[in-house]
Amino acid sequence: MDRLRWGVLGVANIGLRAVIPAIQASSNGRLVAIASRQEARAREAAARIGGIRAHGTYQALLEDPGVDAVYIPLPNALHREWTIRAAAAGKHVLCEKPLATTVADAEAMIAACHRHGVVLMEAFMYRFHPRTERVAQLVADGEIGDVRLVRASFTFQIRRADDIRLQPGLGGGALYDVGCYGVNVSRMLLGEPVEVAAYAQVGPSGVDEVLAAVLRWRDGRLAVVDCGLALSNRQEYEVVGTSGHLRVPLAFVPGTGSATIDLVRNRETSTLTVPGADQYQCMVEHFADAARSRVPLRLPPEDALASMRVIAAALRSAYTGSVERVA
């Protein structure tokens, strides 16, 4: 089967440093085009990558008949517009997380992709790492008993005041940028929560620069999620059951080397080692399989919509001071 022909909307660092190399290394895809609103930047990126076309507008790339699918690493507030435009152009869409900034936007994006018969997936790369799959299997096999609590943290410090993640109009903020990982892994392990209580530190930028949330499930299970754009580097989660717990260091961006899981039972810790992998490559290869042969998505867009409902409730809670139901 022919390789999926990829185009990239924008020259964001995550694309240039992680996703584009993954596409180039993939067994079933190839990069053919890149676009920027500044044609000079598109040409510079294309020259650095080599062997691909440069487009001076996003729409020009969508009109390129040699492109089958697009990767969208644009600011969060632009995800809806360009996903819907890509769908209308018949392009499959891999969109950076979070899929959208509102529930309504996520619903509109999913509806557009269904209507035009294209595949849509949120680019949660850590979900395709073999360690994540191992954690899910350990939990499903009852290795730590009945899971009652998940604790997830993802924080780092932004150094530049003009960073787009500090701009409210572009969908900035800690919860959208890194807190979504904690929401996602909590849902992966526990299902759908019913309510959220959250608190935020809003900086001069006007976005949540630090946020902590407690998610509650109908049966009383809990998740504690914290995230930050103004804290030291942390990325980890812990899964606590009735007979043991799992600790997952470097949880979301572990690199390509071997990754570990600490399994604690009866006060004894054993470290499980999972062979390394490029989780970005695993993600784009799965997406290409889904787009070309229509194998079921392991991470369907409805999963992103469910996360968006939790994120929306957390933001409402942080700004109102009340416990919010997950719609």
Side-chain angles (χ1 to χ4, degrees), residues 1-2 4 6 28-29 68-69 92-94 117-121 128 282-301:
M1 182 173 291
D2 292 339
L4 187 73
W6 287 88
N28 55 1
D68 303 314
H92 304 291
V93 180
L94 177 65
V118 298
V119 173
L120 171 64
M121 190 174 84
F128 296 89
C282 295
M283 173 182 70
V284 299
E285 287 182 339
H286 171 73
F287 181 88
D289 282 343
R292 301 301 283 172
S293 59
R294 300 297 172 143
V295 300
L297 282 171
R298 284 168 46 195
L299 198 60

Side-chain angles (χ1 to χ4, degrees), residues 143-324:
E143 292 292 337
I144 57 172
D146 182 21
V147 173
R148 306 301 300 167
L149 173 71
V150 173
R151 181 189 58 80
S153 303
F154 200 163
T155 63
F156 70 104
Q157 192 164 71
I158 289 178
R159 304 292 182 181
R160 293 178 49 178
D162 62 347
D163 193 294
I164 63 170
R165 291 167 291 188
L166 296 178
Q167 298 183 32
L170 292 178
L175 183 57
Y176 283 144
D177 191 57
V178 284
C180 59
Y181 286 88
V183 169
N184 188 276
V185 74
S186 299
R187 291 183 45 258
M188 180 188 81
L189 295 167
L190 298 177
E192 306 305 332
V194 295
E195 63 184 20
V196 183
Y199 302 88
Q201 297 173 10
V202 177
S205 61
V207 303
D208 53 300
E209 294 187 5
V210 178
L211 184 143
V214 177
L215 285 53
R216 188 183 72 82
W217 275 254
R218 195 175 305 279
D219 61 2
R221 292 176 297 165
L222 300 170
V224 180
V225 174
D226 74 84
C227 54
L229 306 178
L231 299 174
S232 61
N233 289 347
R234 299 156 59 241
Q235 47 157 318
E236 59 195 16
Y237 64 89
E238 184 177 25
V239 190
V240 185
T242 52
S243 59
H245 63 277
L246 303 172
R247 293 193 298 255
V248 184
L250 291 176
F252 306 112
V253 191
T256 57
S258 59
T260 61
I261 305 165
D262 290 333
L263 172 59
V264 183
R265 289 183 297 197
N266 300 320
R267 300 184 181 180
E268 294 184 359
T269 301
S270 57
T271 299
L272 311 177
T273 301
V274 178
D278 182 341
Q279 58 188 3
Y280 295 96
Q281 184 177 338
C282 295
M283 173 182 70
V284 299
E285 287 182 339
H286 171 73
F287 181 88
D289 282 343
R292 301 301 283 172
S293 59
R294 300 297 172 143
V295 300
L297 282 171
R298 284 168 46 195
L299 198 60
E302 289 75 16
D303 185 86
L305 176 60
S307 280
M308 193 65 244
R309 291 189 176 114
V310 179
I311 289 169
L315 286 173
R316 290 197 306 271
S317 177
Y319 287 96
T320 64
S322 61
V323 176
E324 293 286 337

Side-chain angles (χ1 to χ4, degrees), residues 120-140:
L120 171 64
M121 190 174 84
E122 186 178 35
F124 257 124
M125 70 295 183
Y126 90 97
R127 290 287 292 267
F128 296 89
H129 196 287
R131 180 177 60 179
T132 306
E133 298 169 7
R134 182 74 181 278
V135 168
Q137 191 62 55
L138 289 167
V139 169

Side-chain angles (χ1 to χ4, degrees), residues 4-7 30 32-33 53 61 63-69 91:
L4 187 73
R5 299 172 298 178
W6 287 88
R30 61 188 178 96
V32 298
R53 297 184 290 279
L61 186 146
E63 293 171 0
D64 186 334
V67 172
D68 303 314
K91 312 300 186 187

